[in-house]
Amino acid sequence: MMTHDEAASLLAALSLHAVEAEEVARVEAHVRTCARCQLELDGLRETAAALGTSVETLPEGLWSSIASRLDAAPATPPAAVTLIGEGPSRRQRASLPRVLALAAAAVIVVLAVSLVNANSRVSRLQGALALARQGVVAQALATPGHRLVTLTAGASRVAEFVLVPGGRGYLVSSSMPALGSRRTYQLWAIVDGSPISLGLLGPSPRSVAFTLADAHATVLAVTVEPVGGSVRPTSSPVADGRIAA
Amino acid sequence: MDDDFDETSDAQLVTCVARFDEAALAELYRRHGGAVFGLARRVTGSVAEAEDVTQEVFLRLWNRPEAYDSDRGALRSFLLTQSHARAVDVVRSRAARSRRELREAGRTPRAGYDVAREAWDHVLAEEVRRALATLPPDERRAIELAYFEGRTYVEVAAMLHEPEGTIKSRIRKGMGRMRGALAASGVQGLER
């Protein structure tokens, strides 16, 4: 098994599909057991995808060629069970032996629907809040005596907070990857070596306000916690940053 | 499900695809097909091969929509990751053939850096290009050779006559910088 450091040094190359085949399996085996590497890899893949973003015009006829293969695709799962009530569809033509796989898929679909609804509601709310907070953050950044705290994960800057005199703090920017609805980021201040919760950042932090009353705090740290948060951190920080005196 | 998908999120469309809604797949193709095709064409350098890759990516989404986990990132990133992986496979199976020929000819492959740059203008979004331009040239080159030419870091090291560890760390540092620059510019990967 590859060590954490060995695997971490290969994540960027892995996100570019630039790791030798025999090494890929060993890195991936580590990543499956390491939440920090998984988060890092997810983030790197987003960056790699941004690199590959283009503005190409699609060749004519490509869609019809894809569409013509939809029915014929060999692995198409039959969805007869889930399709009830939606009228006749090509699914009912699917072969019976796939019904078992389909039943499993049906459960996934139902779960996915509720998660998706929850997610999109949350992101709409965050969007509205973000607009309202932009002014507040700008104001904080213009306040004399404000302090910026940059949180890093490995060598990457992943979030920036601003603290204003009096103890209010705000999230300025974040590139932490979204977690989905079952986990949340939680923000901590380290005071005399002990973590004190400053609150939940949600699964996809965009706009956050908090109060840091204790002037002795030396570090801000973010952990990934079960939804609802934790009284004390249940895992090591995915990002942290020193608060300048 | 009606056919007006303008307000529908990618994740919701994937759920519709899981219910065999062809119109939902068509909408996802409309949104992301160009990027999937563009990246494949960029890596393979071939329209025909890029069309094959694009077909595979969307057929796979149709057959296995559950492979996309919205907890892990944007659908666009997921599709581009697959497009890139398939395109790299195509290039490497080609390379396996031509490498033998090159060895026989006693030549070393050249980096082709300038050729790579030529396509930037219309291939990369402005912010991404700007972020790339801020990288130290040796980091940018390592990333370009790996990503756009489908080379492994071991191959890049051999091409540039540098130790493997050096290339690995250039890729790592460069990607970290890219991420920081994209975050700072507000692009930060791709919003879902």
Side-chain angles (χ1 to χ4, degrees), chain A residues 83-107:
Chain A
L83 292 181
I84 289 168
E86 292 186 356
S89 84
R90 111 183 69 81
R91 257 172 283 158
Q92 291 166 342
R93 278 179 265 137
S95 65
L96 276 175
R98 294 191 186 127
V99 166
L100 279 184
L102 189 56
V107 174

Side-chain angles (χ1 to χ4, degrees), chain B residues 165-177:
Chain B
T166 304
I167 298 304
K168 203 159 68 171
S169 108
R170 280 180 194 168
I171 289 175
R172 187 183 190 183
K173 284 188 195 147
M175 285 297 283
R177 269 189 243 273

Side-chain angles (χ1 to χ4, degrees), chain A residues 120-131:
Chain A
S120 68
R121 215 170 25 243
V122 169
S123 59
R124 269 201 304 277
L125 271 176
Q126 286 181 334
L129 280 173
L131 282 178

